[in-house]
Amino acid sequence: MDLRNGIGLRPLGNTPAEFEQDLLSNLYYRRGTTVESASAQDAYETLALTVRDRLAARRARTSAAQYAANPRWVYYLSAEFLFGRQLSQNLLYSNTGEVAAAALKAFGLAPGEVEELDVEPGLGNGGLGRLAACLLDAMATLDIPAVGYGIRYDFGIFKQAFADGAQVEKPDAWAFQGNPWEFPAPDDRQTVFFYGHTTRDSDGNTTWIPGEIVLGEPSHMLVPGYGTDTVNIVRLWSARGSESSFDLSRFSAGQYAEAVQEAVRAENISKVLYPDDSTELGRELRLKQQYFLVSCSLRDIIRRFRLRNAAWSEFAGKTAIQLNDTHPTLAIPELMRLLVDEEGLSWDEAWEITQRTFAYTCHTLLPEALETWPVALFERLLPRHLEIIYAINEGLLGEVRSRFPDDLDRVRRMSLIQEEPERRVRMANLAVTGTTAVNGVAELHSKLLAETTLRDFAELWPAKFRNVTNGVSPRRFVRLANPSLADLITSSLGDGGWINDLDRLEDLAPLADDPAFLSRWREIKRANKVRLGLGDPDSLTDVMVKRFHEYKRQQLKLLHVITQYHRIKNNPGGSYVPRTVLFAGKAAPAYHAAKSIIRLINAVARVVDEDAAVAPYLKIVFPPNYNVTLGELIIPAADLSEQISLAGKEASGTGNMKLALNGAITIGTLDGANIEIRDRVGADNFFLFGLDTPGATALRAAGYNPRAYYERDDELRAALDAIASGAFGGVGQEVADSLLNRDEYLTLADYRAYVDCQSEVDEAWQDQDRWTRASILNTARTGFFSADRTVRDYISTIWHVDPVHVPHP
Ligand code: 26W
């Protein structure tokens, strides 16, 4: 019997009887318990294993087909992956939702009871991490041979709670109960070096003598495609001490801590995700994490390459490695080290292969988010890589000098090494230099990258610079998050094919004039609000969900809330559109200005809530611990999507796409992907306000004085004075101060336009048919923002890979 290639496998049936049989055998044989004594956790793990088996069967056939095809692979290197819960996804992708629900019923369990136990691997901060997960989902759905590589942090993004309205962070031991969705693969361990020094032999060959050796142990999770048999994987590395890291002699001498010190040091590398999403803190452990990720992943990629290929000249042709921001940029000098020091290739051969293999996606415009690392730290931690970076720099500056002779400033700006005030390695410069393509994540962002942040490089290598506008998984953020809307779309379009062909949503547009369809649409939105249960379902649900950052301007939304509060207080007899304003999001623990805004929002919410005169018209809710799972609950319930960042600051945004696809109308600035959303849904179906990027730049250049806006706008002054006077529980003064004296993100300059635009929103809401038509057109016209289109763009502009068809059994 041919057992290879998953052929000899007994197919796992999906009849209720067969599924129940497998559940029972997994309960007995893999959980080692019985129905009588099974806990809810047992039921959850057993169900997970039973569903996982069905995807693993596809995985077997996928890896067989991909092995046979010996294709060109995409490897997605990311320090963050924000997967979200796996159970509901895998039930849908394995088409076992019904049999599972029936079987659970037989066990006397309600599906929700088990769903609650499903973990959310919070291995990311926000946009960048979630995009990585959406792109992996799309690559599998498009049958692209791809592997994601990341770090299996023991502690993910912190759990957020509020104490007296202030954010408090709790550690997130996401896998404390275990994670049924992963396959540990200790047999694929890799060895990683740190510290030490380099030596050169008489032939000039360099050897790195490490000062510390750590093991990287992978465990992979399945990444199923939807509506196809492809199941790819994502490999997550955990750091381990070497076999000899336990010092028995110290232990027997009673020095217990010292005995395990080396192992603890090693394990610390993958202990916790850094919770910063825009400011680099330059911690040594973070650089160790980044090198750990790239060293393990490159060795694993080379191991896979060698399974079917031999010549290094083939490597770049078979391997497209995408660097998700600068965090994995060390992969460039690491591949050079492996090719030159270990494989004996010449520098030029190695450099040619390296540049052709890598591509870099930049996700930010904020100068403080562009990583630079002290040369002194490199000298200690990665001495060989520093040598290689110096050599790469020589090549770069040689090219710059020949192209732009006597332009010393340009040389200084482009150098991989910042000289003043401290010698630091510029990771973005290295990423651009060592890759074949550089892309931004929305048209405006890519344009600004080439015109400002990376202008010098765009002038040197214009062909390298591309744009690939972000996208989101319609499977998770429409089909799974909003099943009743998905059912309505399927029944309206005749079949469910639109989920993998999102441009077909366009066919909904004519239904925007069908009264029956309009009322069905409204019912679904209302039911999603009831499901969320955070405010009057008949109120306008105004949603701002994203990480807290001053450039995203949650403070501007709050000024509008306070203004509305004052309007109602000052004119209790007036007619007002009832609103539920929902904030959600985390702030980096060290980001005090953002945490002050959170505290003030909760203080304002309490005052408004306790004010009987205002409460019928205005409610502020702030559910704690915003994550993918909460997003899936909030997004389908939104009427208004707040995308109000200062123009030129939000690289793209992806929440804006998820909200528009679920029928929320955007109020926003001409920033990031808002522009492309507005271009597609039409100006009538988008509430635009505020400065655009040139306007913001001009205002700053002209010398921006926030106090002038305060002085000439009564409502603005009243709002800021209220905060400053402690009217909201005595908190928020520092927020008012910074707005009046600094206001780096021109909040006060955009205040009036924003508040007036919100009046237009109230106006529009009062014509429910007009509103619902615009809501339907937002869904109908945002199919472009499918992650499938994004992946197709990466393939046509950067990766140039072909799908591998996986035969259906
Ligand atoms: C060094 C600390 C650090 C950590 C993470 C700096 C920067 C980051 C990320 C790049 C921040 C991030 O998540 N950026 C967001 O990426 C999304 C996906 O492309 C975009 O949609 C958002 O606009 C962008 O803010």
Side-chain angles (χ1 to χ4, degrees):
M1 181 153 72
D2 173 2
L3 290 180
R4 283 172 311 105
N5 306 336
I7 295 167
L9 213 53
R10 168 180 68 78
L12 296 169
N14 275 346
T15 64
E18 288 165 321
F19 193 86
E20 217 171 272
Q21 263 305 307
D22 290 345
L23 266 180
L24 268 182
S25 64
N26 285 326
L27 186 66
Y28 296 157
Y29 308 145
R30 292 157 91 178
R31 287 298 290 177
T33 184
T34 62
V35 175
E36 293 69 28
S37 54
S39 66
Q41 185 69 24
D42 287 322
Y44 161 64
E45 301 260 349
T46 302
L47 175 62
L49 292 173
T50 308
V51 172
R52 190 187 79 177
D53 291 350
R54 279 143 179 78
L55 295 176
R58 286 189 198 168
R59 171 67 198 153
R61 282 185 275 109
T62 299
S63 48
Q66 292 172 341
Y67 179 86
N70 186 18
R72 178 171 161 77
W73 286 85
V74 174
Y75 295 110
Y76 202 83
L77 262 57
S78 181
E80 303 183 21
F81 285 99
L82 215 30
F83 291 110
R85 284 181 169 172
Q86 299 291 295
L87 180 59
S88 56
Q89 170 193 280
N90 292 340
L91 284 167
L92 175 71
Y93 285 53
S94 63
N95 201 12
T96 54
E98 264 147 56
V99 281
L104 281 178
K105 207 148 159 287
F107 281 98
L109 284 158
E113 215 179 319
V114 169
E115 179 80 27
E116 281 316 303
L117 298 169
D118 193 24
V119 294
E120 171 167 337
L123 307 177
N125 279 285
L128 170 139
R130 182 57 232 178
L131 178 82
C134 281
L135 294 184
L136 288 187
D137 172 76
M139 285 186 248
T141 299
L142 294 169
D143 300 328
I144 302 301
V147 177
Y149 284 105
I151 296 177
R152 187 190 182 284
Y153 304 103
D154 297 334
F155 293 91
I157 186 70
F158 61 84
K159 283 204 279 256
Q160 177 194 52
F162 296 132
D164 186 28
Q167 171 181 295
V168 289
E169 300 90 20
K170 295 188 170 47
D172 168 41
W174 64 279
F176 188 71
Q177 292 281 6
N179 170 25
W181 304 110
E182 67 183 326
F183 296 87
D187 50 312
D188 282 340
R189 271 196 200 109
Q190 299 292 355
T191 302
V192 182
F193 293 177
F194 291 104
Y195 306 106
H197 63 281
T198 62
T199 63
R200 235 161 305 285
D201 65 18
S202 52
D203 310 336
N205 300 322
T206 306
T207 306
W208 179 16
I209 315 295
E212 182 179 280
I213 295 178
V214 166
L215 298 180
E217 186 170 299
S219 80
H220 62 266
M221 294 214 303
L222 302 179
V223 180
Y226 181 75
T228 180
D229 279 85
T230 293
V231 173
N232 284 336
I233 61 167
V234 56
R235 279 213 136 169
L236 303 174
W237 300 96
S238 299
R240 294 274 173 279
S242 61
E243 219 148 345
S244 60
S245 62
F246 176 64
D247 187 330
L248 191 56
S249 59
R250 279 176 179 261
F251 191 88
S252 14
Q255 299 169 336
Y256 303 123
E258 292 79 1
V260 296
Q261 189 175 320
E262 192 188 324
V264 168
R265 258 179 76 76
E267 287 159 17
N268 274 347
I269 292 170
S270 58
K271 188 64 71 185
V272 63
L273 166 80
Y274 273 87
D276 322 290
D277 74 328
S278 62
T279 312
E280 56 117 1
L281 290 178
R283 296 272 188 288
E284 176 164 340
L285 188 59
R286 178 158 170 114
L287 187 58
K288 283 183 93 173
Q289 282 186 345
Q290 295 183 351
Y291 179 62
F292 173 75
L293 167 62
V294 303
S295 177
C296 294
S297 305
L298 274 176
R299 289 205 182 277
D300 199 58
I301 289 168
I302 289 169
R303 176 187 65 78
R304 296 168 59 86
F305 170 72
R306 287 213 169 111
L307 290 175
R308 297 285 270 113
N309 311 279
W312 282 113
S313 56
E314 300 283 317
F315 185 78
K318 294 285 184 185
T319 314
I321 302 180
Q322 194 68 30
L323 304 178
N324 200 20
D325 215 90
T326 56
H327 314 149
T329 299
L330 283 169
I332 294 166
E334 174 66 0
L335 183 58
M336 286 301 288
R337 184 183 74 84
L338 296 171
L339 294 178
V340 173
D341 296 358
E342 297 193 3
E343 301 299 329
L345 273 67
S346 72
W347 178 271
D348 294 347
E349 273 177 312
W351 185 238
E352 195 265 342
I353 291 171
T354 297
Q355 277 193 307
R356 280 180 46 220
T357 297
F358 290 108
Y360 157 53
T361 302
C362 175
H363 295 267
T364 187
L365 280 164
L366 303 180
E368 68 267 26
L370 296 175
E371 294 185 296
T372 62
W373 291 101
V375 166
L377 174 55
F378 256 97
E379 259 150 9
R380 265 184 327 105
L381 185 66
L382 300 166
R384 179 55 180 147
H385 295 79
L386 186 58
E387 293 170 358
I388 292 170
I389 289 169
Y390 283 152
I392 294 171
N393 202 26
E394 252 174 66
L396 165 66
L397 300 185
E399 190 173 343
V400 174
R401 288 194 188 94
S402 65
R403 273 288 304 282
F404 305 96
D406 318 325
D407 189 337
L408 294 182
D409 269 352
R410 185 184 292 266
V411 169
R412 236 193 312 280
R413 289 195 307 268
M414 297 182 76
S415 174
L416 304 185
I417 309 297
Q418 167 197 304
E419 300 297 342
E420 304 297 332
E422 179 201 11
R423 302 195 70 231
R424 299 178 71 91
V425 179
R426 296 167 168 151
M427 301 311 274
N429 292 24
L430 176 57
V432 175
T433 304
T435 56
T436 191
V438 175
N439 75 284
V441 288
E443 283 169 9
L444 174 65
H445 178 229
S446 300
K447 181 171 168 291
L448 292 173
L449 276 180
E451 289 172 359
T452 60
T453 320
L454 300 171
R455 179 196 185 95
D456 294 319
F457 290 95
E459 287 171 353
L460 182 63
W461 299 312
K464 266 194 189 184
F465 286 77
R466 330 269 161 87
N467 174 57
V468 181
T469 296
N470 281 163
V472 300
S473 167
R475 276 70 63 175
R476 182 169 287 273
F477 292 105
V478 181
R479 174 61 188 76
L480 279 169
N482 200 344
S484 44
L485 184 69
D487 291 347
L488 174 65
I489 297 172
T490 296
S491 59
S492 309
L493 299 184
D495 63 75
W498 58 272
I499 297 173
N500 283 10
D501 181 6
L502 217 56
D503 291 339
R504 287 185 54 199
L505 290 177
E506 186 63 47
D507 300 341
L508 290 174
L511 294 166
D513 303 319
D514 170 346
F517 189 81
L518 262 66
S519 62
R520 183 73 195 110
W521 191 269
R522 270 198 291 271
E523 277 166 24
I524 289 168
K525 182 60 79 178
R526 189 178 190 286
N528 287 329
K529 294 183 197 181
V530 171
R531 178 181 70 167
L532 177 60
L534 286 178
D536 167 6
D538 295 314
S539 67
L540 192 166
T541 304
D542 176 359
V543 165
M544 186 159 193
V545 289
K546 53 188 75 218
R547 285 292 295 247
F548 271 76
H549 197 289
E550 290 164 287
Y551 85 79
K552 294 175 185 281
R553 300 202 294 191
Q554 279 91 352
Q555 67 274 16
L556 179 57
K557 174 79 240 155
L558 187 60
L559 286 176
H560 169 241
V561 165
I562 295 171
T563 302
Q564 188 66 3
Y565 170 66
H566 285 160
R567 285 180 177 176
I568 298 168
K569 290 293 284 178
N570 300 342
N571 177 12
S575 76
Y576 303 99
V577 168
R579 262 196 206 219
T580 301
V581 177
L582 186 152
F583 288 94
K586 296 171 180 176
Y591 191 178
H592 301 298
K595 293 174 93 166
S596 299
I597 295 168
I598 288 178
R599 192 144 179 260
L600 178 56
I601 291 171
N602 283 323
V604 172
R606 186 178 307 159
V607 168
V608 170
D609 213 32
E610 288 161 1
D611 189 320
V614 175
Y617 305 112
L618 186 58
K619 185 174 181 55
I620 298 107
V621 291
F622 192 159
N625 203 37
Y626 183 64
N627 59 14
V628 176
T629 305
L630 191 48
E632 290 170 19
L633 207 54
I634 293 171
I635 288 166
D639 295 306
L640 188 65
S641 161
E642 298 278 349
Q643 309 300 332
I644 61 176
S645 53
L646 172 61
K649 293 297 176 187
E650 188 70 83
S652 162
T654 46
N656 47 6
M657 300 166 182
K658 296 161 190 169
L659 285 154
L661 277 166
N662 282 277
I665 304 175
T666 304
I667 181 166
T669 52
L670 288 176
D671 196 17
N674 296 355
I675 299 169
E676 292 158 77
I677 290 173
R678 182 170 175 269
D679 290 348
R680 289 171 186 279
V681 302
D684 300 350
N685 305 304
F686 188 105
F687 295 102
L688 177 68
F689 78 95
L691 294 158
D692 59 11
T693 306
T697 311
L699 180 54
R700 236 192 258 288
Y704 172 57
N705 168 20
R707 194 167 285 277
Y709 293 83
Y710 164 87
E711 267 136 20
R712 69 165 170 253
D713 191 308
D714 300 346
E715 288 194 304
L716 175 56
R717 193 167 55 253
L720 287 167
D721 287 352
I723 299 171
S725 67
F728 303 109
V731 305
Q733 278 82 355
E734 66 280 16
V735 176
D737 289 350
S738 87
L739 287 174
L740 268 173
N741 304 312
R742 215 161 48 82
D743 194 13
E744 184 181 354
Y745 299 104
L746 312 184
T747 305
L748 305 195
D750 268 344
Y751 166 83
R752 180 44 55 193
Y754 178 57
V755 167
D756 292 351
C757 190
Q758 287 288 4
S759 304
E760 286 171 37
V761 169
D762 285 338
E763 194 64 35
W765 179 259
Q766 284 163 31
D767 176 345
Q768 278 293 297
D769 279 354
R770 175 189 162 195
W771 186 278
T772 310
R773 250 197 309 277
S775 167
I776 294 166
L777 293 177
N778 265 273
T779 298
R781 295 174 178 168
T782 46
F784 172 83
F785 300 101
S786 167
D788 301 349
R789 185 272 316 152
T790 304
V791 165
R792 278 195 290 269
D793 284 356
Y794 273 106
I795 291 171
S796 59
T797 58
I798 300 173
W799 297 338
H800 310 294
V801 292
D802 300 317
V804 170
H805 176 66
V806 177
H808 192 62

